Amino acid sequence: MFASKADEAALWRLLLIVTSLIVALWWPSAARDLSSMPPSIAVLAREAIVLSGVWAYVLLTLAIVVVMRWRWIEKPLGGLDRCYRLHKWAGIATGAVVLLHCVLEWLPGGLARARAAQPETLPRQPGLDWNAATQEMAELANGTLLCALIAIALLRSIPYRWFRKTHRLSALLYLATTWHALLLLPAQLRFTPLGALVGLCALLGCAAAVVSATGGVGRHRRVRATITGLETHDGMLEVECTLDAHGLPHRPGQFAYVCFDPAEGPHPFTIAGADPQARKIRFVIKALGDYTRQLASRLAEGQQVTIEGPYGGFDFRGTAREQVWVAGGIGLTPFLARLEYLRWLGLHSPSVTFFYCTGDAAKDPYVSRLRALCAQTGVRLVLVDGARQRPLDFDAIAEGLQDPAGAELWFCGPARFGAALQRAWRATGLPGRRFHREWFEMR
């Protein structure tokens, strides 16, 4: 997905805060060693290697912990979708710092050797130092494997099922990295604030790695279900599932991971509707890739599935006096769930204006349902028919706002469209916190 500059800036600010904390904790111990003027090459090498190593380890810990689907992490970050975006950028930053760390370790004739140079008063042992050589080879293999996993994660041409299997190796890699970090952390740093940070990361990260390696991520939020309804129309697959034991309490707009095939693994889909009394839940899936295109022919009524969730913060719980909803394509699903929820409660929302963008209203199977739901809930529906009208822009949205300063916008749809609307929203001076967007990207 294409993030707006403001959203990417927020992510980088968070990573900058983490980096600043590491430097602030490292500096008191480094200042003593760097006090000599000028510092020796050996001292500079040692401090640069220590700083880059701790930096990479803390970033790697952040990357693995934020995607554990723990509620106490998900909620402050604004939903699991944003956790995965932070995971992605923390992983990229980790790869860059690991490369720096390896360069410092392996720079020919230089920094790593200077760091390990023995004082002239100590006799040098003849021959190869096998302990040091083994350590350096392990460091190189660890860094190479980590960078390879990051590259695989970024290559969209690699199928999701293979990405998921290779990504599971990151948990084992993290445990090896922790052993490396704790073993090589200088003794004088172990009982300092920087050493405490490394220890805290080791505790959190190892717990996360063990849970991930044993397949326990999200296990306590899984329920079994049976497919009790299938309907296909215009590239959309509607799947109704009946939960086996109990319901899946959720707020309209949230999503869940659905595992139709254990070999493929779970995929995230927005919850398009539910009947809590009958323990039914519904998903609308668009054929966007190889996996989703094959689902219609691979699924059958009576088939057992696993549903995990709910997740996400796209739940319409705003405080503004007026709401504007904008949906495009499969982005319709959270709004469909919200409308059905309002109808089920018997509520009317005349302060909501819903812009639904469709390629061809005459062929869209959801237009009639939306019209009925909006009439029943008091929501003002504005149909933007791509076959007969120009594309929706922010000016057209702003014209319909009764009180722009007191409004908020909820968007779900194509990434470029959302980024353009978000830029226009900010350009008018409206507060960014009132533009809500689902970052439905888990890779």
Side-chain angles (χ1 to χ4, degrees):
M1 304 268 298
F2 296 84
S4 71
K5 292 182 179 179
D7 286 302
E8 295 300 343
L11 279 178
W12 285 110
R13 278 197 300 270
L14 180 57
L15 293 177
L16 181 60
I17 290 172
V18 173
T19 300
S20 300
L21 174 63
I22 296 167
V23 173
L25 296 179
W26 162 79
W27 178 249
S29 62
R32 295 192 298 269
D33 295 332
L34 298 176
S35 59
S36 61
M37 296 300 291
S40 67
I41 295 295
V43 170
L44 288 174
R46 182 181 68 246
E47 295 303 330
I49 291 171
V50 168
L51 178 58
S52 61
V54 172
W55 189 11
Y57 182 63
V58 172
L59 288 174
L60 182 60
T61 302
L62 177 66
I64 192 172
V65 168
V66 295
V67 291
M68 291 305 297
R69 304 176 195 171
W70 291 331
R71 286 187 176 93
W72 62 273
I73 291 179
E74 180 191 358
K75 188 174 180 180
L77 291 177
L80 190 61
D81 55 331
R82 283 164 173 77
C83 290
Y84 270 90
R85 291 182 62 238
L86 178 57
H87 166 77
K88 173 183 175 180
W89 288 110
I92 292 173
T94 299
V97 179
V98 165
L99 286 176
L100 172 64
H101 184 70
C102 290
V103 167
L104 293 174
E105 286 276 12
W106 285 77
L107 197 63
L111 300 184
R113 295 177 189 176
R115 178 194 65 166
Q118 296 178 351
E120 294 297 329
T121 56
L122 296 178
R124 294 185 180 273
Q125 298 295 327
L128 178 65
D129 186 345
W130 287 102
N131 184 50
T134 302
Q135 173 185 310
E136 291 186 356
M137 290 300 294
E139 290 176 0
L140 179 62
N142 208 37
T144 302
L145 181 57
L146 177 62
C147 292
L149 289 177
I150 293 172
I152 290 173
L154 295 176
L155 291 174
R156 299 298 184 86
S157 57
I158 296 177
Y160 175 79
R161 61 183 180 276
W162 295 112
F163 154 77
R164 186 175 65 90
K165 291 176 180 178
T166 57
H167 217 55
R168 291 285 290 274
L169 293 174
S170 61
L172 302 178
L173 177 62
Y174 181 85
L175 295 175
T177 302
T178 299
W179 175 83
H180 171 78
L182 295 179
L183 183 68
L184 296 185
L185 185 69
Q188 66 270 22
L189 293 180
R190 291 174 184 172
F191 298 99
T192 65
L194 185 65
L197 176 63
V198 173
L200 178 61
C201 288
L203 288 174
L204 281 175
C206 286
V210 170
V211 172
S212 177
T214 56
V217 178
R219 179 178 293 165
H220 64 291
R221 301 173 78 169
R222 296 175 193 166
V223 295
R224 297 288 296 173
T226 303
I227 297 177
T228 52
L230 290 169
E231 186 178 344
T232 58
H233 38 65
D234 196 28
M236 300 281 196
L237 172 63
E238 197 162 328
V239 183
E240 180 189 78
C241 300
T242 300
L243 305 174
D244 289 355
H246 55 81
L248 189 73
H250 69 282
R251 296 186 298 273
Q254 291 187 298
F255 65 91
Y257 282 89
V258 186
C259 182
F260 295 113
D261 180 3
E264 175 68 24
H267 285 254
F269 300 109
T270 300
I271 299 171
D275 183 347
Q277 295 178 338
R279 304 197 316 274
K280 293 185 183 296
I281 195 166
R282 192 172 66 257
F283 301 94
V284 176
I285 303 170
K286 187 173 183 178
L288 296 173
D290 292 340
Y291 173 72
T292 50
R293 277 195 290 267
Q294 297 171 6
L295 277 179
S297 60
R298 294 169 61 179
L299 300 184
E301 292 189 19
Q303 181 176 333
Q304 293 290 307
V305 299
T306 301
I307 302 175
E308 176 195 324
Y311 296 108
F314 194 85
D315 54 14
F316 304 96
R317 296 199 301 179
T319 58
R321 295 183 296 272
E322 183 180 2
Q323 286 191 356
V324 178
W325 301 350
V326 181
I330 195 61
L332 164 69
T333 50
F335 302 101
L336 190 62
R338 178 64 175 177
L339 287 169
E340 291 190 353
Y341 180 70
L342 291 174
R343 182 185 63 177
W344 184 67
L345 292 178
L347 296 178
H348 280 65
S349 299
S351 60
V352 176
T353 302
F354 181 22
F355 291 87
Y356 175 50
C357 306
T358 178
D360 190 344
K363 299 179 181 179
D364 193 315
Y366 290 98
V367 168
S368 59
R369 188 190 301 186
L370 285 178
R371 283 174 172 156
L373 286 170
C374 287
Q376 293 166 351
T377 57
V379 172
R380 176 173 170 255
L381 176 64
V382 179
L383 199 61
V384 183
D385 189 348
R388 298 164 183 82
Q389 298 173 248
R390 66 183 180 88
L392 180 68
D393 56 24
F394 183 75
D395 291 337
I397 295 173
E399 289 176 3
L401 293 178
Q402 299 174 3
D403 180 18
E408 61 186 6
L409 193 148
W410 296 79
F411 171 84
C412 190
R416 292 183 185 273
F417 183 26
L421 288 182
Q422 193 164 11
R423 286 193 297 268
W425 178 272
R426 289 181 175 274
T428 59
L430 296 172
R433 67 180 181 278
R434 290 189 176 177
F435 190 103
H436 306 276
R437 184 178 179 187
E438 182 75 88
W439 293 101
F440 213 71
E441 183 182 45
M442 306 302 165
R443 181 179 177 184

